Structures are given as structure tokens and as C-alpha cells.
Amino acid sequence: MGTKLVNLETLDPADLQKLETAGISHTDELFARAAGKAERVVLAGRTGIALPVLDQFVGVADLMRIAGIGEPHALLLAALEIPTAAALSACEAAVLIKQMRRKNVEILVVRGMPPESTVARWVEDARKLPPGAEI
């Protein structure tokens, strides 16, 4: 069913309320209703949430379709310009984990870094997912 939006730490409470008013309370619902760019433009107009904010959280929802990727890891990947599962599927795990470690030293978003084997599984899982968000 996805993660409840109320459990996402970086989602502004006002934006959370706007999404809930629009009938969106889980990451899966957000992804289903706003994966396409045109859908996000419509949702931004209906809710008053800035399009870049919606883009970020749809990317987070897309990445969170992969088991083991939570909000902090999704945000770290986005900071590495890997905002979607499709972008993750093109990565090499050994290189990616090194980039993640370096970037996390800069932005301190993840408390514990996963082992390379976990990142390799994320990449493989991303390759198996159906098409995701258009960011």
C-alpha cells in the first residue's frame, strides 16, 4: 500500500493537508495519480502545491516502490541526480554506493548507509519495475 504521506519527514504539513484534501494519503496513491508530468501539472493547479515540490515527492514515491528504499535514501539518490527508479536502473552499484557515501557526508540525510549488496539489489529491482515517473 505504500507509505503514509504523514510519515514523510520532508513533506511540509500544509502540502500534506492539500494532498489529503485531494484524496491522496499514501506514496502509492501519489505515484498513481501524478506519475506523468501532465498529471502533476493538473494536481499542482488543483492543490496549489508548487510543481517542483510535486516532482520531488513523486520521484520519492517512485523510488520507494523498491523494497528497502525509504525517504532518506530516496532523497540521497535524488541529490545524486537519480530521482527515479528508471534512473537508478542505469546505475552500477559499486560506483553508486561510493557516490552515496560521499554525498551523504555533505548533506547528512541518511543515518546508516546500506551495504553494496543492498544497493545492487535496488538497481536490479529497479530494472524489473514497470515504467515509473516522468521527471
Side-chain angles (χ1 to χ4, degrees), residues 104-119:
N104 195 53
V105 168
E106 291 175 35
I107 64 175
L108 299 173
V109 70
V110 176
R111 288 189 183 125
M113 198 60 60
E116 183 179 329
S117 61
T118 298
V119 174

Side-chain angles (χ1 to χ4, degrees), residues 37-106:
K37 189 72 167 174
E39 296 165 321
R40 279 195 306 284
V41 169
V42 170
L43 185 60
R46 285 186 50 224
T47 62
I49 299 173
L51 190 56
V53 172
L54 283 176
D55 288 345
Q56 177 186 4
F57 280 101
V58 168
V60 167
D62 186 21
L63 286 164
M64 289 177 70
R65 295 186 301 154
I66 299 168
I69 295 184
E71 181 186 19
H73 291 109
L75 293 170
L76 179 58
L77 290 167
L80 290 168
E81 297 184 19
I82 304 169
T84 64
L88 179 60
S89 72
C91 294
E92 182 182 327
V95 173
L96 180 57
I97 189 65
K98 290 175 187 173
Q99 292 171 333
M100 289 173 67
R101 287 178 181 137
R102 279 193 295 261
K103 189 61 150 180
N104 195 53
V105 168
E106 291 175 35

Side-chain angles (χ1 to χ4, degrees), residues 26 28 33 35 61 72 75 78 87 115 130:
H26 290 82
D28 289 348
R33 294 197 29 207
L75 293 170

